[in-house]
Amino acid sequence: MADTLSREDVCSALGTDAWGLDRVVALGELAPDADGRFLAENISALAETRTARRAEAIADIATLDAPHLGLVP
């Protein structure tokens, strides 16, 4: 049997709360099995993707806000 994670473990791995996890599921990025658990390998891949997205968003925001904050890139 594949390793599975509970909702609480998934929230911790993704850095979200239960509402955020429900949104990720509703958007189709992740799906629980029949028992309401999630495959660990899927969580790992999604966590990496979300971390990369966050890093890109932070870099974009820093680029946009730097001139307004008096910071020179």
Side-chain angles (χ1 to χ4, degrees):
M1 181 172 158
D3 290 334
T4 60
L5 300 172
S6 67
R7 288 180 56 85
E8 293 80 16
D9 292 335
V10 173
C11 287
S12 179
L14 297 180
T16 187
D17 58 8
W19 182 86
L21 177 57
D22 289 342
R23 292 295 307 141
V24 169
V25 170
L27 291 170
E29 293 187 37
L30 189 62
D33 64 12
D35 296 329
R37 297 181 64 83
F38 298 85
L39 288 176
E41 64 189 36
N42 294 345
I43 302 309
S44 177
L46 182 58
E48 289 177 17
T49 300
R50 290 174 53 88
T51 298
R53 283 189 206 158
R54 283 185 190 128
E56 290 172 8
I58 289 170
D60 290 345
I61 290 169
T63 300
L64 292 171
D65 286 347
H68 303 289
L69 298 173
L71 304 173
V72 179

